[in-house]
């Protein structure tokens, strides 16, 4: 057994795990974070995407011991649980119908949040490139891309005067 300690969705956890335990297994079975989906076990589908120290990773491709000392954010950790508000990207997926069966949705949202952190105003092509490691078997991606565009616009508006100034300067 190996002792690990990390912050998951803002809460410090310390546990003993088998060294070969995947992060996705630990999150789901050890912590009950079932929003992180096991999709393929081969790191091809992206359904298990979480943020590790702020960057998106496929948690089926990371051992729990590799996350020792790290900050992990799951889909459950995105929403403001105190206020009851969804994260803007979660809200955008709801508003733009960026899901059908919902199986890929947690990973798509986590990857989209990371994309928008790195590129707040991506083009459609950049969005498609940014989510290409996450597979959806239902939608054809059109509404997912629309949801990321919608979230991008709302995040820019929420940024306040800086975003408005940049828009005016661009004119």
């Amino acid at each position: 057994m190996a002792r690990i300690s990390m912050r998951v969705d803002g809460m410090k956890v310390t546990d003993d795990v088998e060294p070969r335990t995947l992060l996705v297994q630990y999150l789901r079975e050890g912590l009950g974070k079932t929003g992180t989906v096991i999709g393929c076990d081969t790191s091809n589908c992206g359904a298990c995407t979480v943020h590790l120290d702020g960057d998106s990773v496929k948690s089926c491709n990371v051992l729990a011991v590799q996350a020792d000392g790290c900050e992990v954010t799951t889909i459950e950790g995105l929403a403001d649980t105190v206020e009851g508000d969804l994260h803007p990207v979660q809200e955008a997926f709801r508003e733009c119908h960026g899901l059908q069966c919902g199986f890929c949705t947690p990973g798509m949202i986590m990857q989209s949040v990371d994309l928008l952190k790195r590129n707040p105003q991506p083009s459609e092509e950049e969005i498609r490139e940014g989510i290409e490691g996450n597979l959806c078997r239902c939608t054809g991606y059109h509404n997912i891309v629309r949801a990321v565009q919608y979230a991008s616009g709302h995040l820019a508006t929420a940024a306040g005067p800086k975003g408005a100034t940049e828009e005016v300067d661009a004119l």
Side-chain angles (χ1 to χ4, degrees):
M1 296 297 273
R3 180 152 285 257
I4 59 171
S5 183
M6 64 184 80
R7 291 188 81 66
V8 178
D9 296 338
M11 306 231 354
K12 184 171 171 90
V13 296
T14 301
D15 218 337
D16 291 321
V17 297
E18 287 283 337
R20 63 183 177 202
T21 302
L22 295 173
L23 181 58
V24 67
Q25 293 168 320
Y26 177 67
L27 293 171
R28 289 180 59 82
E29 297 163 18
L31 301 179
K33 300 289 185 175
T34 57
T36 302
V37 179
I38 296 174
C40 65
D41 279 336
T42 61
S43 78
N44 286 320
C45 75
C48 67
T49 302
V50 299
H51 294 168
L52 185 64
D53 287 339
D55 295 321
S56 64
V57 298
K58 295 175 181 178
S59 62
C60 73
N61 209 26
V62 176
L63 296 171
V65 295
Q66 291 176 295
D68 184 38
C70 294
E71 178 81 28
V72 178
T73 305
T74 70
I75 190 72
E76 290 99 334
L78 280 184
D80 183 341
T81 55
V82 174
E83 296 293 323
D85 296 330
L86 293 175
H87 183 279
V89 176
Q90 290 172 310
E91 180 67 33
F93 269 66
R94 184 176 75 180
E95 288 296 316
C96 296
H97 309 288
L99 59 109
Q100 283 187 17
C101 80
F103 194 80
C104 73
T105 304
M108 281 288 187
I109 289 173
M110 297 303 287
Q111 185 63 35
S112 298
V113 168
D114 186 56
L115 167 65
L116 292 174
K117 178 183 76 175
R118 290 181 284 109
N119 182 355
Q121 298 289 314
S123 66
E124 179 178 338
E125 182 180 327
E126 290 169 324
I127 293 169
R128 289 182 183 278
E129 239 176 68
I131 63 171
E132 72 182 354
N134 292 67
L135 301 178
C136 175
R137 291 168 176 90
C138 299
T139 70
Y141 300 93
H142 180 70
N143 287 346
I144 293 170
V145 172
R146 282 187 47 227
V148 177
Q149 291 171 321
Y150 181 90
S152 172
H154 280 73
L155 288 168
T157 302
K162 181 178 179 194
T165 303
E166 289 174 2
E167 187 175 326
V168 172
D169 290 345
L171 298 175

